[in-house]
Amino acid sequence: MTQSNGSASPRRGGDMPDWEKRFRAPRVSLPDWAEDAPHRSLFVSNATGTFELYAWDRTTGEQRQVTDRTNGTTDGLLSPDGEWIWWFDDKDGDEFGIWRRRPFAAGTPAGEENPDAPAAPGLEPSYPAGLAVGRDGRTAVVGRSTDEDGSTIHLVRAGQEPVEIYRHRESAGVGDLSHDGSLIAVEHTEHGDAMHSALRVLRPDGSMVAELDDSKGGTVELGLEVLGFAPVDGDTRLLIGHQRRGRWEPMVWDVASGEETDLALDLPGDVTAEWYPDGSALLVVHDFEARGELFRYDLAARELRRVPTAPGTVSGATARPDGTVEYLWSSAAEPSVVRSTSGEVVLDPPGMKSPGSVPVRDVWVEGPGGRVHALVQTPAGVTGPLPTVFDIHGGPTWHDSDAFAAGPAAWVDHGYAVVRVNYRGSTGYGREWTDALRHRVGLIELEDIAAVREWAVSSGLADPQRLVLMGGSWGGYLTLLGLGTQPEAWTLGIAQVPVGDYVTAYNDEMEALKAMDRTLLGGTPEEVPERFEASSPLTYVDAVKAPVYISAGVNDPRCPIRQVENYVDRLAARDAVHEVYRYEAGHGSLVVDERIKQVRLELDFAARHLGTAGASASPEASASTSASTSADVSREVGGTGTAR
């Protein structure tokens, strides 16, 4: 049965349980600011109950909602002059659409007939593949991805037809536009490895300036990423990320001279960076063992100095013209907040405040491919064995961290232990760990999850008769695959926007994900059918014993609905215990009521089958509903690239 977004009117705060308050409490993203008008900012918030874009004039304090769409809006960019907000307009969450441009100030500027006019007239709808906006707010470099054209990049100028400057069948995207608009950085995978990009710098006419490709001639593929041009006119330095020492690190590449400045930062784990506004230093974000911290790196002195932050996760950071740093911070126990090194809370949304949760503890388990890191939360003052949820992250190129997340906190509130596993394929533990899942896709991740499951049971934490395997997107895929390949291990499965039939998913998904799947599995379903079969949950569906709950967005381009239906049909054909919820959105929902409804029904599904406490489902929600992904606001409103 298909149900639309929304639910009954929210209860008053005093009658509302803490788990629901965490979803309803207004949250904000890290504000983006205009380089030439730093008093103007753009951020995302769920203040109205749907995640939308907001303009913020820091001089006057005025905040204005910019977008207002049924299924929400999170993809937006503020032009360097602060005059224009570019936002992506798709249909009901299908991620296929066009960029539009709206003025920062309210109203319609002189000479503009439509405040939401297409920003790139002449370009047909597509999946977005990066955007860089010039200093005038009207010139832009637009990346597109379609099944018919592959990847294309166009230069767009006001009053002129878009000019194609790049095209290739493999995935590619816009990296950045130089400060003076004379250089365009592109990330591409023409070599056929969608997990490891090469870099190309073009002039506005499409001619090549420079190329950097760490994959050439080696048996080990190494990736590169664009972090941004120096924010100074005429400066040809490009800050990039590289994997030459087995992890992500920043490096400065002068695209005119070819000189590479290796920073060689003595920090374990992955490191990324962005420029300080005058180009003299870098703001370094260091991520290690599921936690983050900040540093300032002075390029002339080659000196690294720590920027104080509390223990937890820094989900985003930016250096302001006055030298202060603003950053989005949270921990598993404390909700997200935008802070400044000046000591202030930068952006504090009005209204209900989110309750906190319990902290995580770190567990390291020996797995077949090395030590596996897991994050564990348990109800305060309670000892095991407990009903336990293994909440598996998506991506797979992502990782769980010590960050605030409303979803896991809801399960803890209902008496469950929650275990999150950074399996092989996760980021944050080096290139070899991330790249380890090739060819035996899904099966490798489940080996690591099984090792942590064995620890959880043997340590007395988890009740072996009440184990829930759950996840969204790639985590939903691993849930269905795990229920079929490890049928004795799990009591219950909850798969949110999953892959159930890998071959059909490949045929129906967006082009960038097809490229990723070809890289992961070594070819197409026609070229390596045995690998697709071994990695597809549909292959093992007849072995599933546990009750399974599936939710799916009918407009999802990443885990399309047809392949979900194929899996569900196979469950139904043998009368397996299952429930399905199809909702009118794409890869998850940006509507708070919808998310709450899904989590409520998810909790009640588990309660009915495990004998635990439910969440009192609202009467209008039928039993054939399920859950969607939930996470800290930085995950909810951030771009997901080619991830599931």
Side-chain angles (χ1 to χ4, degrees), residues 155 157 163-166 181-184 201-209:
L155 180 65
R157 293 188 175 101
V163 177
E164 182 179 291
I165 60 173
Y166 178 91
S182 65
L183 300 169
I184 298 162
V201 178
L202 306 174
R203 299 181 182 90
D205 63 3
S207 61
M208 189 169 75
V209 176

Side-chain angles (χ1 to χ4, degrees), residues 521-606:
L521 290 156
T524 67
E526 292 75 25
E527 293 166 340
V528 287
E530 71 286 352
R531 290 179 182 169
F532 275 83
E533 181 180 12
S535 293
S536 179
L538 192 66
T539 303
Y540 313 98
V541 65
D542 291 339
V544 173
K545 296 182 178 180
V548 57
Y549 199 104
I550 298 173
S551 66
V554 297
N555 302 312
D556 191 344
R558 298 172 184 264
C559 300
I561 190 67
R562 186 166 70 105
Q563 55 87 25
V564 174
E565 301 291 10
N566 291 348
Y567 187 89
V568 170
D569 288 347
R570 287 283 296 274
L571 288 175
R574 63 184 186 87
D575 293 325
V577 178
H578 70 285
E579 295 177 6
V580 186
Y581 173 47
R582 305 164 184 87
Y583 57 95
E584 294 288 343
H587 198 59
S589 175
L590 297 174
V591 179
V592 174
D593 275 355
E594 174 69 15
R595 290 181 176 227
I596 290 171
K597 180 176 68 176
Q598 292 177 8
V599 172
R600 179 179 291 119
L601 271 295
E602 174 186 329
L603 288 162
D604 285 337
F605 177 81

Side-chain angles (χ1 to χ4, degrees), residues 130-171:
L131 173 72
V133 178
R135 314 210 67 72
D136 62 356
R138 297 169 181 251
T139 301
V141 183
V142 180
R144 303 170 66 253
S145 175
T146 65
D147 289 347
E148 297 78 17
D149 300 329
S151 299
T152 60
I153 294 176
H154 290 77
L155 180 65
V156 176
R157 293 188 175 101
Q160 301 180 27
E161 288 293 317
V163 177
E164 182 179 291
I165 60 173
Y166 178 91
R167 175 185 291 262
H168 200 276
R169 285 303 310 169
E170 297 293 342
S171 58

